[in-house]
Amino acid sequence: MGEEQSKPRKYALTVGGRPHEVTLSGGRILLPVHGRKIHHDPACGHLTDSAELKTFPDDPEGLLWWRLLDAVDPAAFARGVGLVNSQNQPLDGLCSCVLRPVSAARAALLPYCPVEWAAEVFDAERHRAAAEAAEREAELIRGRFPFADWEQLPLERYALGQGTGSDAYSYVIEYGSARLGSITGGSAMKHLVYRRTDGSWWHDSRYKDAAEAWTAVRAGIVEAVRAARDGRVGDIDSMAAVRAGNTVVAKTLHVYANGSVLPLYADNLARHFVALLADGVPQMRPFERKAHLKELFERTGVPSGWSPDLAARFLLWWAPPLSAPRTVRIDTAEQWPQWPDWLAHGHLAVARDGDDVGDLHRFADRDEFTEACAGRPGLTDLWEVLVLRPGDRVVATSGNARVLAVGRVTDDGYHWDPDGSEPRHTVSVQWDETYATVLEPPVAWRPGFLAEVKPAVWERIAKARSKSLAAAGQEEAAEAVADGSPLDPVLQRIGDALDRRGQAVLYGPPGTGKTYEALRYAVRRIGELADDLPGVRPYAEPGEEAFRATHRALVEADRLTMVTFHPGYGYEDFIEGLRPVKGEAGLSLEVRDGVFKRVCARAEQDPGHTYLVLVDELNRGNLPKIFGELITLLEKDKRGYTVTLPLSGDHFSVPPNVQLLGTMNTADRSIRMLDSAIRRRFAFLELLPNTEPLTDAVVGQLDLKVFLTELNARIRAGLDREKQIGQAFLLPGGEPISTPEELAAVIRDEILPLLQEYAYDDYGLLAGFLGTAVIDPVAHTPRELDDEKLVSALYEELQVKAHATQPE
């Protein structure tokens, strides 16, 4: 670190649960004349006074930025080391040319800040008190539940749902020992046996009753602790009785076999740190991995003598996993006039009418909670407050336009106060009123107690704050903040599949949004990585001009390439082929690169960005012929290997930063018909009809959500699931159809012809789909109905009649 660097080096770092990019100083820190932030790049646009720029050369380690970032009092630290501007003001912040938020995809392309650097910066004494408090908490648990008593510990002392609340070991280990690390979330099944709110017991079905299950689980926990005390942590993976209780058993080991594992209980945490410390994740079972992580940590050179709690705190300080926070909106106008109280007490308090439900922790999962609240629809969304996690954002609004503040969920999120004043369901939130603004135009928020905030809406809120701060003369504080919102479930599935395999296919019936979702993914994920391109708005929504502009920018920069396969498309189009070229001697044939080969060549020269090839109608092409030897190179573990192409003789490889996303319509051809070598190399993600966008959409009396649900139920019964009708038919332009004229046109011109094709002109089957009031099965023809009568007939057949025939 101490040696001068010829150019800035970039690394990844997690700050506040979000990915950031660090640009090192090269040993010299730039001091502005008027600003309050240190700089590393002399070309930084925030250095408007660069003519009078001073430098701070005393940074031989290159870690002063990190020490400033970690300081309890940054201003005092800056003064102490002499980091002041020409006005003698302390430089207590970092410019974006030092540390800037980036997307997770961008951070994944960078090396992580080495653990040795972290050990130089980490203030162990500052964290030691918390580690010691954790040990005292473990001692209290050992006092309440001595290990010597475990062999005879009754089920009533262990299990949730006993009515004893915090007296049960399961409650204490999950909710009453936060200093020892969290295992909250998920269902109560991690405790291996518990009592449901209806009085029945849940346990592994291999056991005949709760007593037998508890005998086995108890013996397994005792055996696991003894194995850990003997240094045999890896043996726990073979103990069948406790295998499904990974986190509970791991935290129990920390209490009764302290030092056997680090208090990082979830297996994904162990994977995360093993990958960083060992440059990969070896194939191991969960407890083998926990033991391996402890060994890796002890070999890092971090000062010895640290307790397991202090070691875990160091790792979570150094490289906490990305939290992918949710961003949700809660409208104070729709709740109660309690905003001043929320602001003053640093929380949000909800569901005054639901206080009789009690502590939400007592429910095993959402299904059990929903069942308990049956008949009380106003409480069904109360569960959402329980699943809020530290780091999640809450946008407090008053109506559709006014934003009051944005808060970050802190501590463990949800709290139940049985003895406090109503309401008793609270979530700890640190509010920031600098986000207060009025959004024009207003936002059409989706209904629900806590509505998800779309990334594009969050971008509007963040930009409004930046503009307001800049107007107040706080230009540096107003720097744009990269969005921390996670991908929605569909885009997350696509991203995970591409990261895992390198190529994926979206398949499903027509109208399920395959191309739509592929384009959304391309603009969002590739756009997040394209911060070097002007005019890119990765959080724009389809239908907006910003979305189309971002798409054009990505295509023009070759980061996104779109092709459509068809029967005439071949190897020469995709990889390479002979093309006629006119020369002095007439026409001759030359080998020309195809689309995919050109993309790979460009990506190889630009490893810092991801290149996506989007293939529409994948299954309409002759895939073995189009892909050729590419079939071998597509495999994730073959990326970077080369083959010799038969025509040009070029050595061709597929770089790891190239991804391929295809779409295919299963109404045309099932994935079962694809070449088996193709199927093995792609991840396949099915998109089925989704009626949620049609919620509350009504044409006349016809509920579009009910209409599509019933129609598809009949299609599945009469044909198969691959012939269903997708929601896109009823969402032209992204909005639900609203008039009889529009719906009638879609039925006559789009849905009916498709159903006729499916039914092979079997009008009896067709009448079974739409009803005899719409289809004449004798005359083999649709009936002549005007628009309103057609909608009315569909209402009678697919809503009234279908509802009347459903069993009670």
Side-chain angles (χ1 to χ4, degrees):
M1 278 296 298
E3 61 190 43
E4 185 76 17
Q5 301 173 37
S6 59
K7 61 180 180 179
R9 298 177 62 192
K10 298 182 183 297
Y11 289 85
L13 188 71
T14 304
V15 180
R18 297 170 56 206
H20 285 67
E21 178 184 273
V22 176
T23 302
L24 301 186
S25 68
R28 274 195 337 158
I29 294 175
L30 308 177
L31 309 180
V33 174
H34 302 289
R36 295 289 298 270
K37 296 186 178 183
I38 66 171
H39 297 256
H40 287 174
D41 183 1
C44 177
H46 295 113
L47 283 170
T48 56
D49 47 19
S50 56
E52 304 176 71
L53 200 64
K54 296 183 179 181
T55 61
F56 185 87
D58 190 19
D59 187 24
E61 296 175 308
L63 293 174
L64 202 54
W65 63 271
W66 205 346
R67 297 185 190 280
L68 179 61
L69 178 68
D70 187 54
V72 175
D73 185 343
F77 173 83
R79 284 199 182 278
V81 298
L83 282 176
V84 295
N85 64 15
S86 295
Q87 314 301 313
N88 202 36
Q89 295 174 316
L91 301 178
D92 52 7
L94 308 179
C95 179
S96 58
C97 70
V98 179
L99 182 73
R100 71 184 184 105
V102 294
S103 68
R106 173 72 178 174
L109 299 174
L110 300 170
Y112 207 84
C113 283
V115 67
E116 308 86 57
W117 302 359
E120 292 289 328
V121 177
F122 183 67
D123 186 350
E125 290 307 312
R126 199 169 86 211
H127 295 268
R128 199 178 300 277
E132 292 172 350
E135 171 54 29
R136 289 194 296 272
E137 195 161 70
E139 184 62 37
L140 289 175
I141 296 175
R142 291 191 290 269
R144 293 176 64 182
F145 303 91
F147 185 67
D149 295 350
W150 266 84
E151 288 187 331
Q152 301 300 322
L153 188 73
L155 178 57
E156 291 73 18
R157 294 283 323 279
Y158 173 82
L160 292 174
Q162 294 296 296
T164 54
S166 58
D167 292 336
Y169 178 81
S170 291
Y171 191 96
V172 170
I173 206 70
E174 182 166 6
Y175 304 118
S177 51
R179 292 186 181 89
L180 291 174
S182 176
I183 60 170
T184 59
S187 78
M189 290 189 289
K190 60 176 169 283
H191 293 286
L192 303 170
V193 56
Y194 68 92
R195 193 173 188 179
R196 299 186 180 100
T197 53
D198 64 4
S200 63
W201 286 92
W202 183 92
H203 53 78
D204 191 314
S205 58
R206 82 181 84 176
Y207 305 116
K208 65 180 180 181
D209 55 29
E212 182 179 303
W214 172 235
T215 299
V217 168
R218 181 178 58 197
I221 292 175
V222 171
E223 183 184 4
V225 171
R226 288 174 174 163
R229 288 178 169 181
D230 292 341
R232 297 180 291 107
V233 172
D235 289 356
I236 299 172
D237 291 305
S238 301
M239 300 177 185
V242 295
R243 189 179 296 141
N246 188 329
T247 57
V248 170
V249 172
K251 193 166 181 178
T252 298
L253 295 186
H254 185 52
V255 173
Y256 295 104
N258 196 3
S260 59
V261 295
L262 300 182
L264 301 165
Y265 308 117
D267 192 47
N268 66 320
L269 273 179
R271 285 177 178 272
H272 170 72
F273 288 113
V274 167
L276 289 174
L277 295 175
D279 193 25
V281 183
Q283 291 293 321
M284 290 181 172
R285 294 182 297 178
F287 281 95
E288 288 176 328
R289 191 162 18 250
K290 287 175 171 56
H292 185 54
L293 173 60
K294 182 172 180 291
E295 294 170 3
L296 287 172
F297 178 78
E298 291 169 349
R299 297 203 297 259
T300 59
V302 171
S304 60
W306 284 4
S307 70
D309 289 288
L310 188 57
R313 286 182 173 277
F314 167 76
L315 289 175
L316 290 170
W317 170 89
W318 164 54
L322 300 179
S323 58
R326 296 172 64 200
T327 301
V328 299
R329 170 256 192 175
I330 184 167
D331 189 7
T332 60
E334 291 186 4
Q335 304 302 321
W336 308 272
Q338 295 187 33
W339 170 243
D341 181 68
W342 294 5
L343 200 59
H345 292 87
H347 69 201
L348 61 85
V350 295
R352 182 184 300 272
D353 295 335
D355 284 348
D356 61 311
V357 174
D359 189 348
L360 298 181
H361 288 136
R362 71 190 184 91
F363 297 100
D365 50 34
R366 183 190 296 270
D367 291 340
E368 189 172 299
F369 168 80
T370 302
E371 184 178 346
C373 295
R376 302 177 67 183
L379 295 182
T380 55
D381 286 332
L382 178 58
W383 185 263
E384 293 298 325
V385 303
L386 179 64
V387 298
L388 287 174
R389 290 286 176 264
D392 286 349
R393 282 189 298 236
V394 182
V395 178
T397 65
S398 179
N400 290 342
R402 187 181 176 199
V403 175
L404 301 174
V406 173
R408 285 276 184 180
V409 177
T410 61
D411 300 332
D412 285 331
Y414 170 80
H415 298 279
W416 163 253
D417 184 3
D419 302 318
S421 59
E422 296 182 351
R424 294 170 182 163
H425 301 282
T426 64
V427 177
S428 299
V429 178
Q430 182 177 352
W431 296 105
D432 183 350
E433 290 185 280
T434 64
Y435 283 92
T437 188
V438 176
L439 298 173
E440 293 295 344
V443 178
W445 299 102
R446 289 194 177 275
F449 181 71
L450 288 176
E452 295 287 341
V453 177
K454 291 183 178 181
V457 175
W458 170 250
E459 187 180 38
R460 289 178 60 192
I461 296 170
K463 283 190 173 182
R465 173 180 181 264
S466 295
K467 185 177 180 180
S468 174
L469 290 174
Q474 303 179 51
E475 288 83 359
E476 289 185 330
E479 291 173 11
V481 176
D483 182 78
S485 298
L487 298 174
D488 63 46
V490 173
L491 298 193
Q492 188 64 56
R493 285 181 63 207
I494 296 172
D496 290 345
L498 289 174
D499 290 342
R500 185 175 65 252
R501 301 298 300 275
Q503 47 278 334
V505 175
L506 304 180
Y507 72 99
T512 50
K514 298 175 290 297
T515 303
Y516 173 86
E517 298 295 356
L519 286 172
R520 275 210 315 135
Y521 177 82
V523 167
R524 173 71 186 272
R525 179 54 64 86
I526 307 304
E528 284 181 330
L529 291 170
D531 51 5
D532 59 323
L533 300 178
V536 170
R537 293 273 305 279
Y539 310 117
E541 294 290 333
E544 297 177 352
E545 177 54 36
F547 185 93
R548 292 186 286 270
T550 299
H551 177 268
R552 286 194 300 270
L554 296 176
V555 170
E556 290 169 1
D558 293 330
R559 307 275 174 82
L560 172 63
T561 301
M562 296 184 63
V563 297
T564 301
F565 283 1
H566 53 79
Y569 202 90
Y571 179 90
E572 62 276 11
D573 302 298
F574 203 56
I575 307 298
E576 66 176 17
L578 295 172
R579 297 293 186 187
V581 177
K582 187 175 182 180
E584 293 181 1
L587 289 176
S588 62
L589 294 177
E590 289 186 1
V591 178
R592 293 292 180 89
D593 292 344
V595 171
F596 192 73
K597 187 180 177 185
R598 292 196 297 270
V599 170
C600 290
R602 179 70 181 270
E604 193 170 21
Q605 301 301 316
D606 184 20
H609 292 97
T610 297
Y611 285 69
L612 178 67
V613 177
L614 202 163
V615 180
D616 207 19
E617 303 287 356
L618 182 86
N619 55 322
R620 294 190 64 231
N622 185 336
L623 299 186
K625 178 182 176 182
I626 292 173
F627 285 121
E629 52 276 309
L630 182 61
I631 287 298
T632 299
L633 301 180
L634 281 177
E635 291 192 66
K636 197 67 181 290
D637 60 353
K638 304 297 191 303
R639 296 296 180 92
Y641 287 85
T642 61
V643 297
T644 301
L645 297 178
L647 283 176
S648 65
D650 290 347
H651 297 294
F652 175 60
S653 66
V654 179
N657 58 325
V658 172
Q659 297 180 335
L660 195 154
L661 179 60
T663 68
M664 61 175 285
N665 193 334
T666 52
D668 300 330
R669 186 182 185 190
S670 167
I671 63 171
R672 294 187 297 272
M673 304 297 292
L674 292 181
D675 181 85
S676 59
I678 300 290
R679 292 203 309 271
R680 288 196 301 271
R681 286 164 172 82
F682 281 77
F684 285 85
L685 287 70
E686 186 175 33
L687 295 184
L688 291 173
N690 175 20
T691 60
E692 285 308 305
L694 301 174
T695 300
D696 298 326
V698 178
V699 175
Q701 293 176 293
L702 180 63
D703 185 314
L704 294 185
K705 184 175 182 179
V706 173
F707 162 73
L708 188 62
T709 300
E710 177 60 22
L711 176 60
N712 281 327
R714 295 183 180 193
I715 292 173
R716 290 194 301 272
L719 296 170
D720 57 61
R721 69 199 300 269
E722 295 178 346
K723 299 292 194 299
Q724 295 180 86
I725 301 296
Q727 70 279 0
F729 287 98
L730 305 177
L731 294 164
E735 294 295 327
I737 284 172
S738 59
T739 68
E741 294 77 15
E742 290 176 315
L743 180 58
V746 169
I747 296 296
R748 294 191 188 102
D749 303 338
E750 300 174 41
I751 293 179
L752 184 55
L754 192 60
L755 293 177
Q756 287 173 312
E757 178 185 340
Y758 289 167
Y760 296 103
D761 289 331
D762 181 343
Y763 279 81
L765 180 59
L766 203 57
F769 295 151
L770 297 175
T772 55
V774 177
I775 301 297
D776 186 339
V778 177
H780 286 207
T781 183
R783 298 188 187 276
E784 293 291 337
L785 300 173
D786 63 32
D787 297 343
E788 291 189 354
K789 287 183 179 179
L790 175 58
V791 173
S792 179
L794 293 173
Y795 166 72
E796 292 290 338
E797 177 68 24
L798 291 161
Q799 189 165 328
V800 176
K801 182 178 175 181
H803 179 75
T805 58
Q806 288 177 355
E808 294 295 331

